[in-house]
């Protein structure tokens, strides 16, 4: 199905990201790499960020590994937005 193809493509993008490498090797990641995961730019509002996080988390709710990764990325991003 289209959803399966989209999910597979998105999972591949995540796993090949610098953020994934950082997280899998060190358990942490930079704010800059976290922004790349959700395709965040200077025009993204905090509300839009929350929507993007929720959308990706919903897509991978049955994938424990990606879910853990997205939780960490979301924490880094939301902390960074609130600290800015």
């Amino acid at each position: 199905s289209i959803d399966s193809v989209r999910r597979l493509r998105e999972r591949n993008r995540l796993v090949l990201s610098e953020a994934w490498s950082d997280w899998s090797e060190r358990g942490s990641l930079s704010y800059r790499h976290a922004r790349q995961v959700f395709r965040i730019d200077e025009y993204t509002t905090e509300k839009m960020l929350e929507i993007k996080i929720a959308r990706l988390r919903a897509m991978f709710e049955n994938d424990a590994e990606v879910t853990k990764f997205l939780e960490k990325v979301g924490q880094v991003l939301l902390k960074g937005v609130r600290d800015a």
Side-chain angles (χ1 to χ4, degrees):
S1 75
I2 291 174
D3 289 337
S4 297
V5 170
R6 183 177 296 134
R7 191 172 18 262
L8 180 60
R9 185 177 59 231
E10 193 62 21
R11 190 179 200 290
N12 287 338
R13 184 184 74 81
L14 294 173
V15 171
L16 295 173
S17 71
E18 292 176 271
W20 185 279
S21 294
D22 292 349
W23 175 73
S24 62
E25 292 170 13
R26 297 191 311 266
S28 63
L29 58 136
S30 71
Y31 180 70
R32 183 175 62 86
H33 289 165
R35 288 172 54 99
Q36 292 171 353
V37 168
F38 291 103
R39 299 179 174 135
I40 304 302
D41 62 21
E42 59 273 5
Y43 301 107
T44 304
T45 64
E46 187 171 354
K47 182 66 178 165
M48 195 63 207
L49 171 61
E50 291 171 358
I51 290 168
K52 288 181 176 211
I53 292 170
R55 188 180 302 142
L56 258 187
R57 289 182 72 185
M59 182 183 285
F60 293 105
E61 64 187 355
N62 295 322
D63 186 325
E65 185 177 29
V66 174
T67 296
K68 282 189 230 174
F69 170 69
L70 293 175
E71 285 174 3
K72 180 65 174 180
V73 175
Q75 291 168 0
V76 169
L77 281 177
L78 291 174
K79 182 181 183 324
V81 168
R82 292 187 183 117
D83 288 349

